[in-house]
C-alpha cells in the first residue's frame, strides 16, 4: 500500500530572511542604500522571488501607506540576489514581501534601509 504524503508543506513558500546588504555605490554595509542603484542582498530563501510566490517591496517609514514595488531582482543563488532599486526619496525604508495569495498580504521585514540625501542619484 502506498503512503500518502502531505504535499502542502512542500508547496508553502519559505519566507525570505534578509541578513545583510551591500551597496556598491556607497561601499557601505550598514543599511545605507542608493536610489536607482544596485544592492546585493544576502540572506536565506531568496530564491522564492524566482517562483512568483512573492514580490519584494519597500515600505516608507515616513508614509507606511506608500508601498514601492522592487521589480528588478537578479538571482545569484538562494543566499544572495542583486536588486536594482527604483527611484527613492531620502527616507528610511523597510523591505517587505507582497505575498501572491488571494489576500495579497504584505509582510514587513525587521530590516531598516536608509536613503540619505547624498545617496540620491540624478534621474536618468
Amino acid at each position: 500500500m502506498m503512503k500518502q504524503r502531505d504535499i502542502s508543506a512542500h508547496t508553502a513558500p519559505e519566507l525570505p530572511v534578509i541578513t545583510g546588504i551591500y551597496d556598491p555605490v556607497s561601499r557601505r554595509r550598514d543599511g545605507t542604500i542608493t536610489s536607482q542603484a544596485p544592492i546585493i542582498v544576502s540572506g536565506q530563501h531568496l530564491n522564492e522571488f524566482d517562483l512568483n510566490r512573492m514580490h519584494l517591496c519597500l515600505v516608507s517609514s515616513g508614509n507606511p501607506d506608500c508601498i514601492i514595488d522592487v521589480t528588478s531582482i537578479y538571482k545569484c543563488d538562494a543566499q544572495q540576489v542583486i536588486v536594482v532599486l527604483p527611484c527613492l526619496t531620502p527616507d528610511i525604508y523597510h523591505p517587505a514581501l507582497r505575498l501572491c495569495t488571494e489576500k495579497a498580504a504584505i509582510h514587513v521585514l525587521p530590516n531598516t534601509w536608509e536613503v540619505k540625501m547624498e545617496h540620491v542619484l540624478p534621474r536618468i
Side-chain angles (χ1 to χ4, degrees):
M1 181 193 268
M2 215 167 150
K3 284 187 179 182
Q4 268 190 319
R5 289 187 343 187
D6 179 16
I7 61 168
S8 62
H10 298 289
T11 59
E14 290 280 350
L15 289 180
V17 175
I18 295 174
T19 57
I21 64 164
Y22 173 65
D23 179 352
V25 175
S26 69
R27 296 183 180 171
R28 300 181 91 169
R29 298 178 187 274
D30 62 356
T32 300
I33 57 175
T34 303
S35 175
Q36 302 179 71
I39 60 172
I40 300 169
V41 179
S42 302
Q44 300 168 352
H45 310 295
L46 299 178
N47 57 332
E48 290 294 326
F49 296 125
D50 279 351
L51 304 174
N52 290 324
R53 296 179 179 181
M54 61 191 71
H55 301 283
L56 180 64
C57 50
L58 297 174
V59 177
S60 166
S61 66
N63 181 3
D65 293 330
C66 178
I67 300 170
I68 303 163
D69 286 315
V70 177
T71 57
S72 299
I73 300 176
Y74 304 95
K75 181 181 173 188
C76 292
D77 55 38
Q79 288 81 34
Q80 198 170 63
V81 292
I82 297 172
V83 173
V84 179
L85 297 170
C87 183
L88 300 168
T89 58
D91 199 352
I92 294 174
Y93 296 90
H94 297 280
L97 307 170
R98 185 185 307 264
L99 304 178
C100 299
T101 62
E102 293 175 14
K103 298 176 187 174
I106 303 280
H107 177 76
V108 180
L109 299 173
N111 310 75
T112 302
W113 299 349
E114 183 176 5
V115 176
K116 297 178 182 174
M117 182 57 87
E118 63 268 20
H119 295 120
V120 176
L121 297 176
R123 286 186 175 246
I124 299 172

